[in-house]
Amino acid sequence: MDVTPSTLADRVPWADIRNGVLAGMAILALLLPPGAPVSHSASQLTASREPTPLRQAEFGGVDASNDMRHMANWIASAGDHAAMPFVMIDKRASRLYVFDAQARLLDHTPVLLGSAQGDDSTPGIGDKAIADVLPEERTTPAGRFTGQRGLNIIGEDVVWVDYDAAVSMHRVRTTQPKERRLQRLASETVDDNRISYGCINIPAAFFDAHIAPTFSAHRAMVYVLPEQKSLQTVFGTKVPAARHTEQAQGHLAQMIK
């Protein structure tokens, strides 16, 4: 008579077949040398090759330079700030940014910086009297610093950036009206923000709202971006050469069309 699949299934000893397969797999496992490759599905291989996403700083839609964004992302992904709040200063833009311990931007402000261009402090500058500091020596040094609250020689509370070089962050001073420091902070250009002897002058309200609380209970990191040197030279990190802005991507899309 004809044998249908259902009647054939009833006649096949499935338990014997299953036991035979299991025995064969056991023998194969014994024959394979230690460390022999194991087959994976395509989806498993793809998942294993997926790179771990790097942590990114959060700017909240605030415009910032490519160097600022790259450096902030590097700090966040590398954990260089040791899970502390941190401050970043873009000298080329004369602007200061305050981040919390999770690398989220809290606020930003224009600042006044050293009147001389350059990324290094003159050796021994911290031991000089203000009157003896030459115009070319009035630089705001670039680098990674551990900021700490303290007092200057006139008893004003400041945040020391580089104590040996006498460089600090402090409230903007208006003791010399002819310098027009408040007007310089309020202007839309950055060319007139270079006026100090090297210290970082911050609007008083911003200092009280963000700088003082950030450094009140503990130290925090301060990153001063260079204006002449590269990020790699100063921090050991490099901005990727292949970098496209949204505008460049828009132009590319138009060319493809």
Side-chain angles (χ1 to χ4, degrees), residues 149-165:
R149 290 285 297 271
L151 300 175
N152 59 16
I153 58 174
I154 62 175
E156 177 187 25
D157 65 303
V158 301
V159 172
W160 290 110
V161 176
D162 188 341
Y163 184 84
D164 292 337

Side-chain angles (χ1 to χ4, degrees), residues 19-41:
N19 293 336
V21 171
L22 292 176
M25 292 176 63
I27 294 172
L28 180 61
L30 293 174
L31 294 177
L32 285 174
V38 180
S39 176
H40 293 279
S41 67

Side-chain angles (χ1 to χ4, degrees), residues 220-243:
M221 304 310 300
V222 179
Y223 300 87
V224 183
L225 273 60
E227 58 189 340
Q228 294 180 343
K229 296 181 179 181
S230 68
L231 291 180
Q232 186 176 23
T233 299
V234 177
F235 299 105
T237 180
K238 185 178 181 180
V239 176
R243 185 177 55 199

